[in-house]
Amino acid sequence: MKKIFLALILFYSFAFSNELPDLGSSSDSIISAFQEKKIRMQLLYQANQSPTVLKDPEINAYMERLGKKLMHGSSLLQTDPISFFIIQDRTINAFAMLGRVIGVHTGLIYAANSESELASVLAHEIAHITQKHLPRIIEAQSKDTFKTSLAMVFALLVARSNPQLANAAMQTAQASAVQSTLDFTREHEKEADREGLKILSKSGFDERAFISFFRSLDEANKFSSGAAPSFLRTHPITLDRISDIEDRLTQIPYKQREDELSFALVRAKLQAFEGNPSASISLLKTNIRNKSGVNQDADHFALAYAYLRGGKLKQAQDSFDQIKHLQTVNPMVNELKANLLLKSDKVNELEKHYKQALLTFPNYKAYIYGLAHLYLSTNQIKKAMLLLEEYESIQPYDANLYKLLATAHSANGSLYLEHKNLSEYFYYNFDLKEAANQMGLAIKSVDANFYDKARAEQRLKEIQGEITLYDNIQ
Ligand SMILES: [Zn+2]
């Protein structure tokens, strides 16, 4: 139902207009800021629901940080953030969508040889957004081939309601269905390269990575029909595109840039959680023995996680010991240690470990979630609440936080606070209807006093106001 809804939004976007400030381009008149926000909410809602979208707080935080760095390189975006989500798919792809949303395949993260290479593809996608390429395409379609567009949108709608895809709204097939309806032109690609290069440069990445990544994609494409094509299909790399970028690079001095350790650790964690643990273990052991991996520390890190997955605690500990000196350098290494303690049932040590880790890396999401889970599972409800409430004052838009708070209040027998927090959980997961439902339940809770009810009624009004606002946007 939701998926059909999105297709309808895309359809309606052809016909209606205009809240965006006039920036002198006719493309601004086709999709309003409100329409884009509605599409954005719908897309992010689907991404949250999809089992193929990665939910790992550390990997998502890394992508968010990388995205923020790039946005600082693009002055247009300071106030209006772009959201990224990661899809577990080994094909190399990334795609910008309406609503300032970018999907990134895990295959792209693997294929990039450096952080700058990954950043170069993201910068290119961000440029498609800042240059408003999708609204421009929609505008062109609505002028020239409205009937064809309509047919295309309905084809998209049918593809979207395919029951096999029902539980995986963000699966590649659908993403590319959207993509193929909204193909970028050669001019769009060149413009995204030019603007992307500027973004990359301003945010301190190595601009040469742009060309090195495209070159290796092109090479990969020549030799295999498997891994490379999806990105190449949606963003064809032509010779004149490459020479255009090379021309620009001749004017830029060489820049040496060292990757953040997290880049290697993110790839290592993805690798450790993919496929069969024993296959990962034997591959990583070979890499370490032959020193054939790109980063030995990251290989030990991945091997520790792979052993943990395979239930081999002793070996996992041995692998961790190889990199334990990095605990003060990188928060992901501390989280690995926490996972070791958790799997070994060392509850007291785990609490101490998390508290120490939070001193070194304050407000690190994975630690907050981990420590809260620990408190909840050992029935230390008051401690869980204190931790979560303190964190809420710093990170008030985090859906997971409200889910944990709801669990804590439920364990405490507080119905009103359970529903109130569940409402916020759904709200920040872009499910406004369920948020309203839960706030309604909060109002009706037997333990809600007069002031609680008044506050909940006020919040319910706000949520219902938003629902009405979005329902009226077509
Ligand atoms: Zn492109």
Side-chain angles (χ1 to χ4, degrees), residues 55-83:
K55 306 294 189 302
D56 184 296
E58 294 196 291
I59 299 175
N60 287 333
Y62 170 79
M63 190 52 70
E64 205 179 302
R65 208 165 59 241
L66 185 58
K68 269 191 190 143
K69 265 187 216 164
L70 290 166
M71 281 179 244
H72 281 292
S74 156
S75 50
L76 275 171
L77 295 163
Q78 305 290 355
T79 50
D80 226 345
I82 288 179
S83 294

Side-chain angles (χ1 to χ4, degrees), residues 94 121 124-125 128 133 179 184-185 188-190 192-193 214 231 234-236 241:
V121 176
H124 174 96
E125 295 306 319
H128 276 310
H133 289 157
Q179 206 66 325
F184 295 125
T185 65
H188 290 151
E189 288 309 325
K190 282 188 166 188
D193 287 341
F214 285 180
F231 185 76
T234 49
H235 309 258
R241 235 184 111 186

Side-chain angles (χ1 to χ4, degrees), residues 122-140:
L122 300 183
H124 174 96
E125 295 306 319
I126 290 174
H128 276 310
I129 293 178
T130 61
Q131 301 312 110
K132 301 185 189 298
H133 289 157
L134 284 170
R136 284 198 220 161
I137 290 168
I138 290 168
E139 182 187 43

Side-chain angles (χ1 to χ4, degrees), residues 157-429:
L157 189 143
V158 172
R160 282 175 172 279
S161 51
N162 179 341
Q164 281 182 322
L165 300 174
N167 290 323
M170 277 300 151
Q171 266 180 1
T172 323
Q174 288 180 309
S176 52
V178 176
Q179 206 66 325
S180 63
T181 319
L182 305 168
D183 265 347
F184 295 125
T185 65
R186 282 171 166 225
E187 276 320 303
H188 290 151
E189 288 309 325
K190 282 188 166 188
E191 194 176 39
D193 287 341
R194 278 197 299 276
E195 291 303 313
L197 211 53
K198 283 186 205 158
I199 292 171
L200 209 57
S201 171
K202 280 190 201 155
S203 42
F205 290 97
D206 174 14
E207 298 91 336
R208 274 164 185 79
F210 226 97
I211 210 83
S212 67
F213 188 64
F214 285 180
R215 279 245 158 85
S216 56
L217 266 188
D218 204 30
E219 281 299 302
N221 193 35
K222 273 180 202 150
F223 294 106
S224 96
S225 53
S230 45
F231 185 76
L232 293 178
R233 205 168 49 235
T234 49
H235 309 258
I237 300 171
T238 50
L239 275 178
D240 64 328
R241 235 184 111 186
I242 290 189
S243 67
D244 203 34
I245 302 170
E246 278 179 334
D247 278 352
R248 281 163 208 279
L249 286 176
T250 55
Q251 298 143 28
I252 300 171
Y254 179 74
K255 191 188 290 165
Q256 180 87 35
R257 187 187 182 279
E258 209 171 301
D259 287 343
E260 234 189 83
L261 176 59
S262 292
F263 174 65
L265 298 186
V266 158
R267 288 156 51 110
K269 198 171 180 187
L270 284 173
Q271 189 183 0
F273 282 91
E274 244 186 34
N276 178 337
S278 54
S280 295
I281 289 169
S282 83
L283 177 72
L284 287 160
K285 276 167 78 177
T286 311
N287 277 356
I288 290 169
R289 199 170 42 243
N290 303 337
K291 296 194 160 66
S292 51
V294 180
N295 182 321
Q296 284 269 303
D297 291 332
D299 283 343
H300 286 296
F301 177 86
L303 186 55
Y305 266 120
Y307 276 132
L308 269 183
R309 265 186 81 205
K312 295 181 168 154
L313 294 181
K314 167 79 179 68
Q315 289 92 329
Q317 180 67 49
D318 290 345
S319 298
F320 169 77
D321 286 342
Q322 302 290 320
I323 51 164
K324 65 177 177 195
H325 59 282
L326 295 172
Q327 277 186 95
T328 49
V329 181
N330 190 285
M332 292 180 75
V333 182
N334 270 322
E335 178 61 11
L336 165 61
K337 166 85 178 178
N339 277 285
L340 266 165
L341 293 170
L342 180 69
K343 286 271 164 77
S344 323
D345 277 330
K346 293 182 178 163
V347 174
N348 293 336
E349 263 187 73
L350 179 57
E351 182 181 357
K352 252 186 255 164
H353 173 74
Y354 267 136
K355 283 182 171 169
Q356 186 61 43
L358 277 167
L359 293 178
T360 318
F361 302 102
N363 303 315
Y364 190 69
K365 261 186 204 173
Y367 303 163
I368 304 280
Y369 298 163
L371 188 53
H373 274 296
L374 174 70
Y375 286 148
L376 290 171
S377 64
T378 51
N379 216 21
Q380 305 184 73
I381 309 302
K382 280 275 168 301
K383 278 189 180 177
M385 278 183 203
L386 278 176
L387 173 77
L388 293 167
E389 278 159 9
E390 192 190 324
Y391 179 65
E392 186 191 1
S393 62
I394 301 155
Q395 290 273 346
Y397 310 117
D398 181 348
N400 289 332
L401 163 82
Y402 293 106
K403 186 74 181 277
L404 288 164
L405 270 171
T407 310
H409 287 297
S410 162
N412 219 17
S414 317
L415 269 179
Y416 165 74
L417 289 169
E418 181 193 348
H419 289 301
K420 181 174 169 280
N421 281 291
L422 273 180
S423 170
E424 297 304 336
Y425 164 72
F426 284 110
Y427 181 82
Y428 289 109
N429 262 330

Side-chain angles (χ1 to χ4, degrees), residues 103-118:
V104 180
H105 285 197
T106 48
L108 174 69
I109 303 173
Y110 283 122
N113 295 305
S114 68
E115 216 171 13
S116 288
E117 287 197 355
L118 175 59

